[in-house]
Amino acid sequence: MGTVVDDAASVEFHAFFERHYAELSRLAYLLTGESDAADDLAADALLALWHRWDRVRAADHPVAYARGVVANLARTRIRSAVRERRRIALFWSHREEKTENPDVAGVVDVQEALRRLPFRKRACVVLRHAFDLSEKDTALALGVSVGTVKSQTSKGMAELQRLLGSQGDPRRMHAAMAARGGESGGRNR
């Protein structure tokens, strides 16, 4: 059970949330240009504010403080996205192979199946099979252990084979991913 002070703080924070969530979300959208990220950043900022609510509510301008938190979270997100793009560009810049006459239908099927995988499995499969990275290099790129790369790659390939049915021959998937890399020059369409 909460105390009277806790209840008062909760009511006060709830009112703050209701008054400022939309504004903070708009700010995040204007800073990032991503509508989905904007809602997440506003929610993350408000969660951070809730954890420090005693300090925030005592501030001269709690809304200004909240805007600063959103701006910092947006900056972190943008920097992270830039680093990710640089890592992807670095991987593609080392890739010189081109596939002539790729199996376009196979490429489309593999792409669709890859999109259905959870991010970590997809990243492990793509780095291992499309980029031909070692388990160690994949682990380094993703910031995970080699064991995680092994298990996620194995599970991801099994799921791809299930999703692709009889087309799920690992050699065909590897060729389709390699064709996709050669055909697009490393950029998403």
Side-chain angles (χ1 to χ4, degrees):
M1 293 231 153
T3 65
V4 174
V5 175
D6 290 340
D7 291 340
S10 179
V11 168
E12 187 180 347
F13 177 78
H14 184 72
F16 183 88
F17 180 96
E18 292 295 324
R19 273 193 314 272
H20 300 291
Y21 176 78
E23 172 193 348
L24 295 174
S25 183
R26 280 193 306 274
L27 173 62
Y29 174 72
L30 291 171
L31 293 174
T32 64
E34 301 174 26
S35 58
D36 292 341
D39 288 336
D40 291 344
L41 289 174
D44 289 347
L46 285 162
L47 179 62
L49 292 175
W50 171 245
H51 288 294
R52 297 180 197 88
W53 187 242
D54 288 340
R55 212 175 340 167
V56 173
R57 73 196 251 203
D60 291 335
H61 302 287
V63 176
Y65 187 87
R67 289 181 190 133
V69 172
V70 169
N72 286 333
L73 290 171
R75 181 182 310 113
T76 300
R77 182 176 179 85
I78 291 166
R79 285 179 179 167
S80 179
V82 167
R83 280 192 304 272
E84 181 67 20
R85 282 188 213 114
R86 285 182 184 150
R87 281 194 298 261
I88 290 170
L90 178 65
F91 283 130
W92 282 113
S93 69
H94 290 109
R95 185 154 182 90
E96 296 178 16
E97 302 172 22
K98 299 270 187 215
T99 303
E100 293 188 31
N101 302 320
D103 177 3
V104 176
V107 170
V108 171
D109 290 343
V110 170
Q111 285 176 326
E112 193 58 40
L114 280 169
R115 282 188 199 105
R116 294 177 67 186
L117 292 180
F119 176 77
R120 185 172 286 171
K121 287 179 188 173
R122 179 175 54 231
C124 288
V125 168
V126 169
L127 291 173
R128 291 283 292 128
H129 294 282
F131 290 93
D132 292 323
L133 292 184
S134 68
E135 291 167 342
K136 182 180 177 185
D137 289 341
T138 300
L140 185 62
L142 297 176
V144 298
S145 70
V146 172
T148 298
V149 170
K150 288 179 182 182
S151 70
Q152 293 296 295
T153 302
S154 174
K155 290 174 183 176
M157 289 300 289
E159 196 165 334
L160 281 176
Q161 287 176 334
R162 183 186 59 76
L163 290 169
L164 293 169
S166 63
Q167 304 169 12
D169 173 33
R171 289 182 305 258
R172 179 181 164 128
M173 285 189 287
H174 183 80
M177 284 190 278
R180 172 67 178 138
E183 146 193 326
S184 69
R187 297 186 186 254
N188 291 337
R189 292 187 210 188

